[in-house]
Amino acid sequence: MSSSIVIIPTYNEIENVEAIIRAVFNLQKEFHVLIVDDNSPDKTGDCVRGLQEEFKGRLFLETRLEKSGLGTAYIHGFKWAIAKRYDYIFEMDADFSHTPSDLLRLLKACENGADLAVGSRYKKGVNVVNWPLHRVLLSYGASIYVKLITGMRVDDPTAGFVCYKRKVLEAIDLDSVRFVGYAFQIEMKFRAHLKHFKIEEVSIIFRDRVLGKSKMSSSIISEAIWGVFVMKMRSLFLKNKF
C-alpha cells in the first residue's frame, strides 16, 4: 500500500479528470488518488468509476449528493484518508493548474522535516501563468492581507496544492472548520500554525486551467476577505474552541 494519497475534489471536470489521474499514476513514486465528486452533472464520477478497474487498489471515488463546497469536499477526503492510515495526504486541483510532478517535491519537503508543505505561487516572486492582471493582483493582495491579519509567515496562504502529514490533520478538529470556499485553505494553514506545526513553502509555477470552467465567485472572495478577520478574532477570544 502507498503511504501517500492525493485528494482531488471534482465538480464538472469531465474534460480533465482522466488526464490528471493518469498523470499522477505515471509518476515514479506510487501515489494513490481519491476523487471526491459532488455528483457532477457532466458524469465526472462515471468516468472515474470506469477507470477504477484499470487502477484497482489505487484509485478511489467518494460521491456526494450535491455541490457542497471545496472545504467540505476536502474534509470528507481527509477523514477518509485518516481512517485508511495514509502518512501523507495531499490536496490538488483537477484542472492541471498544479503540475503533478510537483507532488514529489512536496512529499520530499515533508519527508525532510516539514509537517505541512505548501506549493507556493509567491515564495519567489509571482509564478502565475495565464491569469489576467486583476486576478493576480487580487490573489497576491489577499496573501499580504492574510499575513497581516493572522501573523502567519506564509507567502501563499490561499494555495490549494498542499501535503499534510497525517498527524497535522489528526490534531485539527476538522468538524469545527467553518470555511467552505477558498478561505478554507487559509483556515487550515492558520489552524496548523496555531498548533506550531512546521509549514514549509515549495516554489511552484501555477498555470490557469485550459479546459473547464473556474469555480471562483464573488461569494468566495467575500468569504476570504471578511472571514479571515472573523477567524482571527475567534482564535483570540475562543482559544479553547478554535
Side-chain angles (χ1 to χ4, degrees):
M1 177 177 172
S2 175
S3 62
S4 303
I5 188 153
V6 182
I7 301 172
I8 304 176
T10 57
Y11 184 76
N12 287 347
E13 292 288 357
I14 191 66
E15 296 167 297
N16 293 304
V17 69
E18 179 174 354
I20 197 72
I21 289 169
R22 292 189 181 279
V24 173
F25 288 150
N26 282 336
L27 297 175
Q28 292 181 346
K29 168 76 177 179
E30 182 179 352
F31 293 88
H32 287 179
V33 172
L34 170 64
I35 303 294
V36 181
D37 184 64
D38 279 359
N39 202 19
S40 298
D42 70 355
K43 306 299 182 184
T44 296
D46 289 345
C47 178
V48 176
R49 274 186 284 272
L51 294 169
Q52 282 187 295
E53 185 62 31
E54 179 179 351
F55 299 113
K56 195 169 184 177
R58 299 175 66 192
L59 176 61
F60 306 96
L61 172 66
E62 289 284 292
T63 302
R64 306 197 301 167
L65 293 178
E66 60 186 4
K67 188 178 180 182
S68 302
L70 180 74
T72 59
Y74 272 126
I75 295 296
H76 185 106
F78 291 160
K79 290 180 177 180
W80 187 97
I82 290 169
K84 302 293 184 182
R85 308 296 294 172
Y86 286 94
D87 294 324
Y88 302 100
I89 300 168
F90 295 77
E91 298 180 3
M92 189 172 76
D93 290 347
D95 59 10
F96 284 94
S97 55
H98 304 139
T99 303
S101 60
D102 284 334
L103 288 166
L104 299 170
R105 299 171 60 223
L106 295 180
L107 177 61
K108 185 176 180 180
C110 282
E111 289 177 335
N112 289 342
D115 297 311
L116 170 58
V118 178
S120 177
R121 296 163 291 186
Y122 306 128
K123 183 180 180 181
K124 298 180 179 178
V126 178
N127 292 317
V128 177
V129 177
N130 292 334
W131 261 9
L133 181 60
H134 75 274
R135 191 166 178 185
V136 174
L137 293 174
L138 179 64
S139 175
Y140 189 69
S143 298
I144 295 173
Y145 170 75
V146 170
K147 288 168 70 175
L148 289 172
I149 296 295
T150 65
M152 282 195 299
R153 308 326 300 166
V154 177
D155 292 316
D156 194 358
T158 63
F161 194 22
V162 182
C163 176
Y164 294 92
K165 284 183 177 175
R166 185 178 71 240
K167 67 178 183 180
V168 177
L169 297 177
E170 289 175 331
I172 293 172
D173 181 2
L174 296 175
D175 290 328
S176 70
V177 175
R178 291 195 170 190
F179 292 141
V180 297
Y182 284 86
F184 164 82
Q185 304 293 359
I186 301 168
E187 183 173 359
M188 288 297 296
K189 296 176 186 68
F190 186 53
R191 287 176 178 268
H193 165 74
L194 291 179
K195 292 184 177 295
H196 306 291
F197 285 113
K198 182 180 179 181
I199 303 174
E200 182 174 328
E201 292 185 88
V202 176
S203 183
I204 64 163
I205 295 175
F206 179 95
R207 295 173 173 83
D208 195 17
R209 67 164 61 235
V210 174
L211 300 174
K213 294 182 179 180
S214 172
K215 311 302 188 296
M216 183 64 71
S217 69
S218 58
S219 63
I220 288 172
I221 295 170
S222 177
E223 178 190 58
I225 293 173
W226 299 111
V228 168
F229 180 77
V230 174
M231 178 186 71
K232 175 64 175 180
M233 292 301 101
R234 288 180 61 239
S235 75
L236 293 175
F237 295 105
L238 299 171
K239 290 183 178 180
N240 294 332
K241 296 182 179 180
F242 191 80

